[in-house]
Amino acid sequence: MSVAQNPRQYIISFIFIGVASVILLRLFFLQNFESKYKILANDIAIYKKVVYPPRGVILDRNGKVMLSNTVIYDLMVTPRNVPKTIDTMQFCSVLGIDKETYIKILERVLSRNIDVRQSPFMEQLSDEQTARFQENAYMFPGYELVERNIRAYEHASAGIVLGYIGEVSPEMLKKPRYASYRQGDYTGFSGLELEYEEVLRGQRGVHYLERDKFNRPRDPYRGGSLDSQEVSGKQIDLYLDAGLQAYAEKLMQNKIGSVVAIDPQTGGILTMVSSPTYDPNLLRGANRARNYAALYREATRPLFNRAIQATYQPGSTIKPMTGLIALATGAITPGFGLACYGSYNYCGRPIACTEKKPGHAANFRLALANSCNSYFCHVFRLTIDFTKFASVRAGLQIWHDYLSSCGFGRQTGIDIPFEGTGRVPDSAYYNNRYHFSWNSCTVVFVGMGQGELSVTPLQMANEVCIVANKGYYYTPHFVKAIGRNNNDSLLLKYKEKHIVANVSDTTFNVIQDAMQDAVLYGTAAGEKLDGISICAKTGTAENKAIVNGEVIKMKDHSMFIAFAPREHPRIAIAVAIENAGFGASWAGPIASLIIEKYLNDTISAKRKLIEEKMENANLINKYVYTIDSVSRLHDAKVYEAKLEKKRLADSLSNANDSALMMRWINSKLKKK
């Protein structure tokens, strides 16, 4: 058959020639016109510099810088590019390390990454190390200095709020949130640094530089036309007052507890203290890991944010809510009174009341001002036993739902991570605990803030905002603006007003009257301030601990809530101090000093002695260290037990595998 009669050969030849032409043209184009690939092919002459942008600056409500940046250098290594002939001794001399350290670091780098990928060799070099390496960089191929911005805390305060940054771990890189990160990148690990990571981080840039004959990066390649510019992180403005924060931390020094102060009109947090505090500068720089370990080992747990994570029985600070629900549901009227002579005796066992004078609970205002335990235990029972509810279980569920609508028993939604929930027991909880055999006397302690009820200090402060605003609150939050934009999409949820259902202004007026009476002549009388109308409630919460298997009654927790001024509230505050006794003794004075400082910007001369007393008091109970030691020992034993259980499981698994293998071998031998 002739070629003309078989055109298939022409078609196949044409396809091969066409494909070959396309490949040749593409190679020609890449070689002569595509600069990106020329850079990759000519990596020896052109240096690719990754530029890390500065993270966003954080400012307080008055524009004071709380968190900024400072420039440091990391020494990066690409193991594949390090020649075997490198002068190790000279390299170690330049960096001021020994050869053993050099080998150990290089082994760690290789264990964490493949040898063709650039990884950190030494982070945050000192100025002296940086200068010496820059002078001798040409001697050490495969090693490069990378400029970074690390955080600089302007004040030694608010560490628990601001948070800290660290290098992303291999485990974190597997998560979707860190898909754009790579080994050696930094990210927020706690506080605002973690919550607003995407806002603060910015965007990396890449600059291409030509190298000189000593292998040192010099001029921009092609005038920088191929560079991608870095984008700095956005500025964040806070509601937090840096001066008030430092003052509150000073008052709380040598105490275990927390302070939360909120602007009721916005939900903006003015100050948040978790004591003991720590200097946030400890968690930056080359010693960050060592300092973190030391803080973690502290018995007083400074890394634990007690303001949002610790839960306490609220004690008498819950009584405004107990009364609010009773009044709102119609279980009582403001004129309801109870004869109390120092104890409540309606449930088969006496419940002590600190007030004994006749008539101290003749009506609601008097009962709250004098913090009568008997009155609020009874009011709680009247509420959940109220005849308009189908049963005590239905009544308790109504009470639970009111507290839940006020933010108790759940996260408030604050804009820092790891918030706790506390607990508001409902009917299902008691049905499970008491096998459906319970009544209002079984749970009576809850009405006075004891029993199974637990709250966070943040929830207590939010409670005060609701009372101050007569029925609504905004989700507590720190950030006022992102990138100078008050209406950034991330902040819209914090502008939503949350209204507590089925409570009238009249009812809230009764609660405010009673809380103001507490300051004028009741349990909070020591916290009166000239020219400022304060509404407050003291609280003393029982405190027990288990030490060496025994339940020990420890000193009560001191609690206090307040807002001021009553007419146009500007600050709502909650203070909790562990093992400090009565609320009026310590938490109350600290709260009133913070209110005075915020509203007047100074402390009056006649209250200077109180201020000095609060600042100098050391209220850390010695049992704290014993309990911590026992707890850590218990945790270690539990951990060892888990390891032993795993070892036994692995041994059994290996034995089973061996037995199966022997059976298989024997079966094969029998067949033969």
Side-chain angles (χ1 to χ4, degrees), residues 6-226:
N6 185 15
R8 185 182 300 172
Q9 294 182 6
Y10 287 105
I11 295 171
I12 293 173
S13 300
F14 179 77
I15 290 173
F16 273 109
I17 293 170
V19 171
S21 299
V22 170
I23 293 173
L24 289 171
L25 285 170
R26 183 57 180 160
L27 288 172
F28 177 78
F29 177 78
L30 292 176
Q31 189 173 11
N32 293 278
F33 301 103
E34 190 65 77
S35 297
K36 179 174 68 174
Y37 291 98
K38 285 184 70 178
I39 291 172
L40 292 175
N42 197 21
D43 188 51
I44 296 175
I46 299 171
Y47 169 57
K48 177 183 176 182
K49 180 182 179 182
V50 177
V51 181
Y52 292 89
R55 289 176 71 87
V57 175
I58 298 180
L59 310 178
D60 87 331
R61 66 186 295 108
N62 300 311
K64 293 181 180 178
V65 176
M66 298 193 72
L67 188 54
S68 58
N69 303 282
T70 186
V71 176
I72 55 92
Y73 286 89
D74 289 344
L75 182 60
M76 310 295 287
V77 61
T78 307
R80 177 70 64 86
N81 297 341
V82 178
K84 294 181 180 179
T85 57
I86 190 171
D87 189 341
T88 307
M89 297 305 295
Q90 178 66 16
F91 181 87
C92 292
S93 176
V94 167
L95 293 178
I97 61 175
D98 54 39
K99 190 172 181 179
E100 183 181 349
T101 302
Y102 170 82
I103 294 171
K104 187 182 297 183
I105 295 174
L106 203 56
E107 287 176 347
R108 185 197 66 200
V109 169
L110 290 169
S111 69
R112 296 178 64 181
N113 225 329
I114 57 177
D115 64 352
V116 296
R117 184 172 295 173
Q118 191 177 67
S119 302
F121 181 84
M122 288 183 67
E123 297 175 343
Q124 302 180 28
L125 269 61
S126 66
D127 292 342
E128 185 180 357
Q129 287 174 319
T130 301
R132 285 204 306 262
F133 187 86
Q134 284 175 330
E135 292 175 3
N136 298 277
Y138 68 94
M139 299 172 60
F140 311 120
Y143 290 91
E144 292 170 350
L145 288 175
V146 174
E147 180 182 301
R148 285 188 188 274
N149 290 275
I150 64 166
R151 295 310 236 170
Y153 298 87
E154 302 299 319
H155 312 281
S157 64
I160 208 76
V161 172
L162 297 172
Y164 64 94
I165 62 172
E167 184 183 342
V168 290
S169 65
E171 291 73 25
M172 294 169 69
L173 291 172
K174 298 174 184 177
K175 298 178 181 179
R177 182 177 188 180
Y178 301 99
S180 63
Y181 292 67
R182 64 185 188 182
Q183 195 71 49
D185 283 358
Y186 287 80
T187 185
F189 270 68
S190 69
L192 295 169
E193 289 276 36
L194 173 56
E195 188 73 18
Y196 291 93
E197 166 64 17
E198 286 72 19
V199 170
L200 293 166
R201 179 193 180 197
Q203 184 176 323
R204 283 192 305 255
V206 178
H207 296 183
Y208 295 101
L209 305 172
E210 293 181 349
R211 300 178 190 266
D212 61 15
K213 63 181 181 180
F214 294 110
N215 201 37
R216 294 174 297 195
R218 288 298 187 191
D219 301 322
Y221 177 70
R222 289 201 171 183
S225 61
L226 302 177

